[in-house]
Amino acid sequence: MDHPKPKVLPAGHRYPSLGRGTLEAGRMRFSVPPSIRNSAMVNEPGGHGSPNPRLEGSSIGRESSKVSSRCSKGRLSPERHERLRDKMRRRMESGDKWFSLEFFPPRIAGGAADLISRLDEMGAGGPLFIDVTWHLAGDPGSDKETSSMTIASIAVNYCGLETMLHMTCCCQSQEKITRHLHKAKQLGLKNILALKGDPVDDQWKDKQGDFHYAIDLVKHIRSEFGDYFDICVAGYPKGHPDAGNFEADLKFLKEKVSAGADFIITQLFFEADTFFHFVKACSEIGITCPILPGIFLIQNYHSLQQLVKLSKLEVPQQIKDVIEPIKDNDAAIWNYGVEQAVSLCQELLASGLVPGLHFYTLNRKEATIEVLKRLGMWTENPRRFLPWALSAHPRRQKEDVRPIFWASRPKSYIYRTQEWEEFPNGRWGNSSPPDFGELKDHCPFYLKSKSSKEELLKMWGEELTSEESVFEVFTHYLSGEPNWIGCTVTCLPWNDKPLAAETSLKEKLLRVNRQGVLTINSQPNINGKPSSHPAVGWGPRGGYVFQKAYLEFFTSPQTMEALLQVLKKYELRVNYHIVNVKGENITNAPELQPNAVTWGIFPGREVIQPMVVDPVSFMFWKDEAFALWIQQWGKLYDEGSLSREIIQYIHDNYFLVNLVDNDFPLDSCLWQVIDDTFELLNRPPRNDRETEAT
């Protein structure tokens, strides 16, 4: 049987659909049989239109890419497409209680990355939405790392969280507020908590054209943006301090709801009866929208005093009697705060008047998570709609296919595809060029490692002595065992999190990494596991998921040469793509078409294939994958140091390889491919007589 010949794509080669630009010239420096070296294939455009000139190499310009050929009908999860008020209505009709979480922007830039990590952690527990407060003194509508707009945008786009942005209107012009709202819409924000707010300098400056009250903002949103935004307003269970009396404040609240507000979140309170009285009064005046109780957890004496001062609330005497004697014991106050919050929430939920709970987290996670766990509302193992992290931006609601290469760097993928007008839905489609944005040296803070330089040096080595030192870092990451200085390696440049719970491949991965096959992505073969499987399941219940075995790694030129020889035995079963930093590459991918490596079958739906190996996208990913060697690892060391030279050598000389075993019902052959490769490498060289005899 004739085997298909792999395509050798030298540095000067371009996929025809990528345009007429050229990659950096150069020759491959590894042994390839002449029959393979001369068999480079040139693909016809295949009806994808004329060549599309762009920048040289695989780093592409920022123009928008219409990928309508990749879109098809069908929705995997209706909830992804619902607006917030519809999600609430559906939960209320089914009797499912929910929770939501409030956060405030950090005061210093260094705290922004920590807050995004907190959003990822607490978002895993299953909140219906989160909200981000608005602080005029912090330039909230700007692009600063610490602005309310930036944090809310990241929560939506990169953390995949339904997000509500607070917006205050006191002493702000209609034009400025309108600019903020247009920007919020552009960034994918769909929910606004409309507030009056306070002047920055505590002085009310009444200027013509300024908004004065929250109702002005609600009316303006509905007038200028119609029904695009879901609007929340604040309710005060004991009346707003500036309203004069409780009845007058209720009247103002009714006006805000009548003007277009969809639901209410209350100011904090300490006793359930306070909330019950408020809900009853709202009902009597004709307010029928959902009312969510705002829950404040007492976590220390100082924060309680500060919040009471700002909210002008009185702490009930029975709470004071407990707090005062232990005010200097933070642990005791924390424990009391958790118990008090659990008791309050249980009473609220038991009343039947509360559809959900809204927690003022103060950007702290422990107490809130503890309360939610005790209430049985925290989701320990959230179901995944898809096997990768979602974005909540409206334009990405139908997206359900991505290349596997960014599986451990989903925020980077979202960042690099943010200019796309449409996203793959149902299938990845043809290999026409996706328009991946470039990653700059100074990438956004939310794409950088969460660890400090000092922490990274302890994990990855303050001093490297050889390539084997790098191999050891990879093996310590995989094993979870402390390294030579007793530090646990919890991340690598290509994965900023500890090794995934799916550890079925751990021993195999350890074995090959010790030999210099430095793995950065892998998945086992799966043949019909239930979609509810705790490790590999995704999608609706009642379905089955499938995977082809996949392995992606860096390795040396010597190992790559042997690998190519071994792969000839697996030509019909294994697809491969091998590339170096210059873009010189070899692949046997048929016609450079994508290969589905993860798919699912669900009742009453078409087959869903959310992850593919796409040869064209791989060339964009390789730029990022190689750059991480230098940007995140090499730059930890001084120029000219041995450690820096070792990382630079790996960057300049190693190859990035991906392998796919297409026979998913069988045990994966990829580990045998690697074993055969090292067996060939370790085979004693034949002498001249043996060579002549053959």
Side-chain angles (χ1 to χ4, degrees):
M1 179 181 294
D2 293 334
H3 288 187
K5 295 180 179 180
K7 291 158 284 288
V8 180
L9 306 174
H13 176 83
R14 293 274 308 184
Y15 301 116
S17 58
L18 290 181
R20 302 180 185 279
T22 58
L23 294 169
E24 181 181 349
R27 287 186 174 272
M28 301 291 279
R29 296 188 178 181
F30 51 88
S31 302
V32 182
S35 61
I36 296 179
R37 188 182 302 118
N38 296 330
S39 64
M41 298 174 62
V42 178
N43 294 318
E44 296 299 322
H48 302 319
S50 59
N52 187 10
R54 284 185 172 86
L55 301 179
E56 290 189 3
S58 59
S59 296
I60 302 300
R62 299 285 294 177
E63 65 198 69
S64 294
S65 174
K66 294 184 178 181
V67 290
S68 57
S69 64
R70 296 177 180 158
C71 297
S72 67
K73 296 181 180 179
R75 293 180 176 182
L76 185 63
S77 171
E79 187 168 316
R80 287 182 68 193
H81 307 269
E82 289 179 329
R83 55 192 307 160
L84 180 54
R85 67 190 184 201
D86 293 331
K87 292 178 183 178
M88 289 184 179
R89 184 181 302 113
R90 183 165 54 81
R91 295 285 189 98
M92 292 170 69
E93 290 172 351
S94 66
D96 292 337
K97 306 300 183 185
W98 72 80
F99 70 91
S100 51
L101 306 169
E102 179 176 292
F103 300 89
F104 58 81
R107 290 180 172 81
I108 59 173
D114 291 337
L115 178 57
I116 300 309
S117 296
R118 184 67 40 83
L119 294 180
D120 283 332
E121 290 179 65
M122 299 191 74
L128 185 64
F129 67 94
I130 65 118
D131 67 341
V132 179
T133 62
W134 184 269
H135 295 291
L136 281 178
D139 198 6
S142 72
D143 293 328
K144 295 178 181 177
E145 293 182 10
T146 56
S147 78
S148 303
M149 192 78 76
T150 295
I151 298 299
S153 172
I154 294 170
V156 165
N157 289 283
Y158 298 96
C159 302
L161 297 170
E162 183 80 58
T163 303
M164 180 166 65
L165 176 65
H166 290 214
M167 193 170 290
T168 63
C169 61
C170 171
C171 299
Q172 296 190 72
S173 68
Q174 177 174 314
E175 290 75 18
K176 187 173 185 179
I177 290 290
T178 303
R179 287 198 302 272
H180 288 326
L181 289 166
H182 275 295
K183 184 174 183 179
K185 181 178 179 180
Q186 179 186 13
L187 293 172
L189 294 160
K190 302 174 292 181
N191 312 296
I192 300 293
L193 175 51
L195 299 163
K196 169 189 167 184
D198 299 309
V200 176
D201 57 3
D202 294 326
Q203 298 295 319
W204 186 271
K205 298 178 181 178
D206 191 356
K207 297 180 181 178
Q208 180 137 11
D210 283 359
F211 288 146
H212 296 162
Y213 301 103
I215 191 172
D216 299 328
L217 180 52
V218 174
K219 289 179 177 179
H220 179 67
I221 293 173
R222 288 292 177 239
S223 172
E224 292 293 319
F225 295 88
D227 204 37
Y228 176 80
F229 290 104
D230 283 5
I231 302 175
C232 177
V233 292
Y236 299 85
K238 289 197 171 183
H240 193 284
D242 299 333
N245 57 61
F246 181 74
E247 289 72 23
D249 190 49
L250 271 185
K251 179 176 176 292
F252 296 143
L253 180 59
K254 174 67 183 305
E255 291 174 354
K256 289 189 287 187
V257 173
S258 298
D262 296 293
F263 62 101
I264 297 166
I265 294 178
T266 75
Q267 175 62 281
L268 66 96
F269 55 91
F270 297 98
E271 296 173 308
D273 285 341
T274 303
F275 180 78
F276 298 153
H277 174 262
F278 176 69
V279 170
K280 181 180 178 182
C282 287
S283 178
E284 289 174 348
I285 201 173
I287 296 175
T288 59
C289 67
I291 302 174
L292 308 184
I295 308 299
F296 169 72
L297 282 73
I298 301 171
Q299 301 188 53
N300 62 59
Y301 189 77
H302 175 71
S303 64
L304 175 63
Q305 293 293 97
Q306 284 294 105
L307 204 63
V308 166
K309 179 181 177 181
L310 291 172
S311 61
K312 301 178 182 178
L313 291 176
E314 184 68 25
V315 179
Q317 188 60 46
Q318 63 267 31
I319 293 180
K320 289 182 180 179
D321 292 342
V322 176
I323 291 291
E324 287 296 333
I326 59 172
K327 64 181 181 181
D328 296 323
N329 187 335
D330 284 348
I333 290 182
W334 190 92
N335 288 330
Y336 170 74
V338 168
E339 295 292 342
Q340 188 267 343
V342 169
S343 177
L344 174 62
C345 291
Q346 288 173 335
E347 189 173 355
L348 291 169
L349 293 169
S351 70
L353 298 174
V354 175
L357 303 170
H358 185 72
F359 287 87
Y360 299 113
T361 69
L362 302 183
N363 288 9
R364 300 170 185 168
K365 67 176 182 179
E366 288 82 5
T368 303
I369 293 175
E370 180 65 22
V371 170
L372 287 165
K373 285 183 176 180
R374 293 198 193 183
L375 294 172
M377 300 179 74
W378 183 261
T379 306
E380 292 288 353
N381 295 300
R383 287 191 58 75
R384 301 183 298 170
F385 292 135
L386 290 162
W388 33 260
L390 302 175
S391 169
H393 194 292
R395 287 195 296 111
R396 303 187 86 113
Q397 285 179 341
K398 295 183 180 180
E399 178 185 25
D400 62 10
V401 189
R402 289 182 187 173
I404 195 174
F405 318 122
W406 284 271
S408 297
R409 287 179 59 81
K411 288 184 173 65
S412 173
Y413 180 81
I414 293 168
Y415 176 80
R416 296 188 68 179
T417 58
Q418 63 183 314
E419 299 298 329
W420 289 10
E421 294 178 4
E422 294 178 332
F423 295 88
N425 170 241
R427 64 188 182 91
W428 183 256
N430 57 58
S431 286
S432 58
D435 190 11
F436 288 96
E438 296 181 44
L439 280 177
K440 308 295 185 182
D441 286 342
H442 302 288
C443 61
F445 71 91
Y446 45 87
L447 299 185
K448 298 178 181 177
S449 174
K450 297 189 292 287
S451 303
S452 66
K453 179 179 179 180
E454 292 72 22
E455 291 170 331
L456 293 176
L457 284 170
K458 288 180 180 178
M459 288 191 285
W460 301 345
E462 295 181 352
E463 184 178 356
L464 303 175
T465 58
S466 65
E467 293 170 64
E468 286 71 21
S469 299
V470 175
F471 302 174
E472 290 180 21
V473 175
F474 278 76
T475 56
H476 282 295
Y477 171 72
L478 291 165
S479 69
E481 297 175 357
N483 62 14
W484 50 91
I485 63 169
C487 181
T488 302
V489 181
T490 60
C491 66
L492 291 174
W494 306 269
N495 194 338
D496 206 34
K497 296 180 181 179
L499 189 65
E502 181 189 302
T503 56
S504 61
L505 303 180
K506 178 185 269 191
E507 292 305 318
K508 295 182 176 70
L509 290 168
L510 280 169
R511 187 177 76 245
V512 301
N513 276 268
R514 290 190 182 105
Q515 300 177 87
V517 170
L518 306 178
T519 58
I520 61 172
N521 197 352
S522 63
Q523 70 176 30
N525 61 304
I526 293 173
N527 186 19
K529 291 280 188 183
S531 60
S532 57
H533 191 282
V536 300
W538 54 272
R541 295 186 184 278
Y544 294 90
V545 297
F546 302 80
Q547 290 180 176
K548 296 178 182 178
Y550 176 78
L551 195 61
E552 183 180 336
F553 54 89
F554 290 99
T555 199
S556 68
Q558 296 78 15
T559 302
M560 189 278 306
E561 288 182 23
L563 176 64
L564 271 178
Q565 299 300 317
V566 168
L567 283 171
K568 288 187 289 185
K569 296 190 302 182
Y570 298 88
E571 196 71 50
L572 293 179
R573 180 168 175 177
V574 177
N575 284 126
Y576 57 84
H577 200 159
I578 304 170
V579 63
N580 64 8
V581 70
K582 298 176 183 178
E584 301 165 332
N585 68 111
I586 292 179
T587 180
N588 69 342
E591 299 301 317
L592 303 178
Q593 288 300 304
N595 184 354
V597 291
T598 301
W599 65 99
I601 299 174
F602 306 97
R605 301 173 187 268
E606 296 179 354
V607 174
I608 306 295
Q609 55 171 50
M611 286 206 291
V612 299
V613 169
D614 175 44
V616 178
S617 299
F618 186 62
M619 297 300 287
F620 291 85
W621 162 245
K622 71 90 180 170
D623 292 340
E624 182 173 336
F626 276 104
L628 289 169
W629 280 107
I630 303 301
Q631 292 173 359
Q632 288 204 22
W633 199 335
K635 287 185 177 180
L636 296 175
Y637 309 109
D638 294 335
E639 286 278 2
S641 66
L642 177 60
S643 299
R644 182 70 172 264
E645 289 176 357
I646 290 170
I647 297 299
Q648 189 70 53
Y649 174 83
I650 292 174
H651 170 272
D652 294 347
N653 293 278
Y654 274 40
F655 286 80
L656 180 62
V657 180
N658 77 58
L659 305 176
V660 179
D661 180 359
N662 291 297
D663 283 350
F664 65 91
L666 307 179
D667 289 341
S668 172
C669 70
L670 299 185
W671 308 107
Q672 189 62 51
V673 169
I674 302 299
D675 289 346
D676 290 352
T677 298
F678 283 106
E679 192 276 332
L680 179 60
L681 274 173
N682 296 326
R683 188 180 300 168
R686 293 186 294 183
N687 58 38
D688 292 341
R689 289 183 179 179
E690 290 175 325
T691 303
E692 291 173 2
T694 58

